[in-house]
Amino acid sequence: MKRKVKNNADFSRLKTKMFLQALGMVIIAFIVIVAIYNSIWRGKGGNWLVSVLQKYFPLGYYEALNIYRQVFRDNIEIIWIVSVSIVFFILFRISLIGFTKYFNEINNGIDKLLKDDGKEIVLSEEMFAIEKKLNTVRQTLEKRAFEAQLAEQRKDDLVMYLAHDIRTPLTSVIGYLSLLDEAPDMPPEQKAKYVHITLDKANRLEKLINEFFEITRYNLQHIILEKETIDLYFMLVQLIDEFYPILSSKGNRAVIQVDESLTIYGDPEKLARVFNNIMKNAVAYSYSDTEIIISAEKKDNRVVITFQNQGQTIPSEKLSTIFEKFYRMDEARTSVTGGSGLGLAIAKEIVTLHEGTITAQSKDNTVTFIVSLPLAD
């Protein structure tokens, strides 16, 4: 049976129990003193003290009686308080033995947390707040462990895929170079053809090796931002210039719809990488002979940059994981689009460090990436 969970977990049960125990000990201490007074002291204690004073000190009866009255009878309230306090602290010391069981429960709960056996941690009613926190920590650790395992598995699979993919262009490079080496008198047209194919395969090989380095570096380097005011329009123009050969080969065209005076505040090198990764994704998955529209506008104290391309609609279940590490849209791993799956994950990390956001939308064969960044002062 599950307990009812409060919105704000506290130690109300424990505090109530401790208060009632303390109150009970005060009452018990008072009852004990009253019982001792009525059964032992009342009618006898005074005479006993007077006789003790006479026995151990050179005092007469009336002298001893006068001391008893001045010291004890006239301070009876203080004596009662001291007596009750003594009994209370004795009872409190005994109760501490029972109170330490809560620390033992916490210690056992931590042991179960470290054991990681997947079982729910159960403590006493009074420790429900600690129980809830320990179970929350347990669930968080389990989730992180699962995500780390999943990411590691994806990474291992990706390394295996890339290793397999590397062998193909490498074999081709070696094969065509062998042909060129074995036939020095090969016709110029055929030699040019083989050289061109070899160069393409070598470029592909370089790209795959770079992806290996990307995987190795990811999460092993700390990103430090060096912020400054950035001319957004100029940065995007440079980006388009870099992609011009690839765009032309597919018949695509990039269109910039950005105010030339628009600026953002951030690390230019890191943000250039963000836009490059988004653009690379847009180019890879765009239909041929279509436009990639890059626009930006001010919204409050932020700049919203949008990359929109015409391509196959991304299912919602894939759209929600598109920024995960080592996630690749192209499950077939074609040589054209197969990447390391790190581009968008790195883009999200950089944007987050800039106190910005990055999201993706896809509908009716239109894919849109939206980046929101702080406006430059």
Side-chain angles (χ1 to χ4, degrees), residues 214-277:
E214 193 78 5
I215 294 171
T216 304
R217 289 202 309 267
Y218 190 78
N219 275 348
L220 296 181
Q221 61 180 5
H222 180 64
I223 298 177
I224 299 175
L225 301 181
E226 297 179 3
K227 295 184 177 181
E228 60 182 68
T229 300
I230 303 169
D231 186 332
L232 180 60
Y233 179 81
F234 181 70
M235 176 181 281
L236 294 175
V237 168
Q238 286 184 314
L239 177 70
I240 298 307
D241 289 342
E242 293 175 7
F243 278 90
Y244 179 77
I246 304 175
L247 290 167
S248 299
S249 65
K250 294 182 61 178
N252 295 124
R253 189 169 69 95
V255 178
I256 299 179
Q257 299 175 350
V258 178
D259 188 338
E260 295 185 15
S261 63
L262 196 57
T263 58
I264 54 176
Y265 185 68
D267 187 316
E269 181 181 346
K270 303 299 188 300
L271 289 179
R273 188 176 187 184
V274 171
F275 299 146
N276 185 280
N277 289 345

Side-chain angles (χ1 to χ4, degrees), residues 8 11 80 94 130 141 149 159 188 226 240 265 297 327 344 349 360:
N8 296 315
F11 297 95
W80 269 91
I94 296 172
I130 296 295
L141 291 176
Q149 183 181 5
V159 170
E226 297 179 3
I240 298 307
Y265 185 68
E297 62 177 337
Y327 178 81
L344 295 178
E349 184 172 337

Side-chain angles (χ1 to χ4, degrees), residues 6 13 48 64 105 140 145 160 171-172 187 215 229 256 277 303 332 344:
K6 294 183 179 180
R13 292 190 180 95
W48 178 75
E105 283 190 49
T140 302
M160 182 182 67
T171 302
S172 298
I215 294 171
T229 300
I256 299 179
N277 289 345
V303 176
L344 295 178

